[in-house]
Amino acid sequence: MDNIMGECERNHLIDVLTQGRELAEQLQVHFHHPSPEVQQLLLLKILLSYDKALSMLTCKDASPEPTTARVRGGLRPFRDSEPSPSPLPGESPASRDSEPGYKEYAGTNGNQALVDVLDCRKAMPRWTNRVRVTHGTAIEGQLDDGHSWRKYGQKDILHAKYPRGYYRCTNRGSQGCLATKQVQQSDEDPTVFEITYRGRHTCSHASVGINPSSSLPENENPNDVLVVEAPPEQQQHQQADLEQQKDHDKLLDFYNSLASITECSSKNPLAAFSLPSISDDLHQLYPLFDTFNFSEAVTRCELIHENQHFHSREDSELDLFFSAGSSVATSSGTNSRAADARDSLDYILDPAEFNNSSGNPWFFSK
DNA sequence: CCTATTTGACCAGG
DNA sequence: CCTGGTCAAATAGG
């Protein structure tokens, strides 16, 4: 793992695991001074840490996690026999890319891992949009699809009149988002750009979707940019991809919001329950909760966690928090309990569950 | 000074 | 050996 895991990924993983350990220590302390709310919150945060760490180590086929290790197009042997988390000899730290850790090499033992990574990349979803720009003023960068991209290469392509541009998500460094796209101007019709996307966005910013038709530059008349639809059979897959991306983005937003709340409370677990400090964050979550399918989540978790409830029924902020969500579920016909919903978080947030959901995740009602 | 782009070089796969 | 994809030093731009 070390061999293919970049410095940034490694550090991030260490951070996450360290945080988990500290949380566990806090939990240990609280065993001596029992406080159900704090214990539950700590437990929740520990679970989140584990989820994060595991997802960082797991290469999901359709949705590589933010920190999935990768290799460069061409593998380069280590100059030293050992993979080094520090700058290589003769390489000043400043000379490394401003996105630390997006460079990973396969080390001597990295063969199997390398195969995994390559498989992972091969399995990345890939789809192409054709975008026609009718006003000559438009340039590639203006083919805004709602995400910010950073150009990392350009290549003359055989038998192609125009070079191909290579872009990656600007959040690769900060969030390990592996989404990339290639932009190729059409030979026959220079007003048409073929944009090939590879990999879904795993960055939390990815909330606007990836359909260019739904995210045109604000200052442009939609009539100026015509989205030429992909062939019907491709279109279906494409649509499914788009839907799944949206769901994934939602879940990620939800996850990150939750994580930030627990992050905040980790600095002062007790203060986390004071109403003002947390309510702002909660308000941001409410829109998500409107669509979060609590009833289904609870039903599923009751099947799994049968007779394993350890929670108390204190009317803590956390309970109110989940009550808000479960009341949505309740109003839609299913009787559910806030604490059950809370208990189900470890299951809900299992990234594998997302990837198993074939295009129609259950955790958000449509 | 910091960040993004350009561009020649490098690498693996075919 | 050729080609596509990527890296990373150099450069441009704010």
Side-chain angles (χ1 to χ4, degrees):
Chain A
M1 162 200 101
D2 284 352
N3 293 330
I4 58 166
M5 178 166 267
E7 181 181 356
C8 180
E9 282 81 4
R10 186 210 301 265
N11 290 340
H12 193 195
L13 181 61
I14 290 173
D15 284 348
V16 170
L17 290 172
T18 304
Q19 192 189 13
R21 190 182 190 285
E22 286 167 358
L23 290 166
E25 282 174 353
Q26 285 183 43
L27 184 60
Q28 192 179 29
V29 169
H30 279 281
F31 276 135
H32 304 300
H33 312 283
S35 165
E37 297 94 338
V38 176
Q39 286 176 352
Q40 286 157 20
L41 184 61
L42 287 171
L43 201 56
L44 171 65
K45 289 188 289 184
I46 292 169
L47 288 171
L48 281 169
S49 289
Y50 268 98
D51 276 341
K52 261 191 180 177
L54 284 171
S55 68
M56 291 165 73
L57 289 167
T58 312
C59 179
K60 301 301 178 189
D61 60 346
S63 173
E65 289 304 316
T67 46
T68 299
R70 55 167 296 286
V71 293
R72 50 172 293 168
L75 286 172
R76 170 187 303 181
F78 280 110
R79 277 162 264 190
D80 293 322
S81 57
E82 286 292 308
S84 168
S86 56
L88 296 164
E91 187 180 20
S92 75
S95 76
R96 312 193 79 162
D97 195 283
S98 55
E99 300 164 13
Y102 79 48
K103 176 172 63 178
E104 300 93 26
Y105 303 133
T108 47
N109 294 329
N111 288 349
Q112 186 52 49
L114 171 59
V115 169
D116 291 344
V117 169
L118 291 174
D119 284 348
C120 173
R121 172 174 290 183
K122 268 190 216 163
M124 277 184 171
R126 191 176 169 154
W127 64 98
T128 303
N129 284 350
R130 288 169 61 83
V131 180
R132 169 171 291 146
V133 183
T134 55
H135 272 218
T137 55
I139 47 174
E140 287 179 16
Q142 288 178 283
L143 299 174
D144 190 358
D145 51 18
H147 291 283
S148 55
W149 301 92
R150 175 170 170 182
K151 192 171 186 175
Y152 67 89
Q154 179 169 303
K155 190 81 182 169
D156 285 324
I157 300 302
L158 198 67
H159 304 313
K161 206 184 289 182
Y162 304 98
R164 178 178 299 168
Y166 298 89
Y167 300 80
R168 62 165 60 101
C169 179
T170 51
N171 294 321
R172 169 172 290 226
S174 55
Q175 298 182 43
C177 181
L178 293 179
T180 62
K181 74 170 178 181
Q182 300 175 1
V183 177
Q184 173 85 58
Q185 196 168 359
S186 168
D187 280 345
E188 316 80 76
D189 187 352
T191 65
V192 170
F193 290 85
E194 270 183 28
I195 307 175
T196 301
Y197 294 91
R198 192 190 286 184
R200 291 194 184 83
H201 285 273
T202 53
C203 50
S204 58
H205 167 69
S207 57
V208 284
I210 48 180
N211 190 346
S213 63
S214 65
S215 54
L216 297 171
E218 289 158 19
N219 55 346
E220 263 180 63
N221 183 341
N223 294 326
D224 290 347
V225 180
L226 172 70
V227 175
V228 182
E229 299 292 352
E233 72 277 6
Q234 215 180 57
Q235 204 175 332
Q236 261 191 339
H237 292 117
Q238 194 175 315
Q239 196 56 36
D241 266 336
L242 291 171
E243 290 303 315
Q244 209 173 348
Q245 172 75 53
K246 282 179 194 166
D247 287 323
H248 187 220
D249 293 346
K250 271 183 169 182
L251 184 63
L252 225 100
D253 278 347
F254 176 67
Y255 186 102
N256 287 335
S257 302
L258 199 59
S260 76
I261 289 176
T262 57
E263 166 91 16
C264 157
S265 63
S266 73
K267 286 161 191 156
N268 188 350
L270 290 169
F273 292 95
S274 71
L275 218 76
S277 66
I278 203 168
S279 58
D280 283 348
D281 289 328
L282 293 183
H283 280 304
Q284 286 171 16
L285 277 181
Y286 278 140
L288 284 169
F289 270 66
D290 284 343
T291 53
F292 193 80
N293 196 341
F294 266 84
S295 52
E296 177 66 12
V298 170
T299 304
R300 283 169 180 251
C301 293
E302 277 178 349
L303 286 174
I304 290 177
H305 294 282
E306 218 171 7
N307 301 324
Q308 289 183 14
H309 300 303
F310 62 87
H311 51 73
S312 74
R313 311 307 306 276
E314 264 76 13
D315 192 20
S316 66
E317 179 80 10
L318 203 60
D319 271 316
L320 288 173
F321 174 50
F322 285 104
S323 295
S326 62
S327 69
V328 173
T330 306
S331 66
S332 66
T334 307
N335 193 10
S336 59
R337 295 180 303 164
D340 289 331
R342 178 182 54 207
D343 277 0
S344 69
L345 265 172
D346 57 339
Y347 183 64
I348 294 167
L349 295 176
D350 181 1
E353 179 61 26
F354 173 81
N355 291 297
N356 286 339
S357 60
S358 51
N360 188 24
W362 52 265
F363 39 70
F364 289 113
S365 54
K366 310 247 161 169

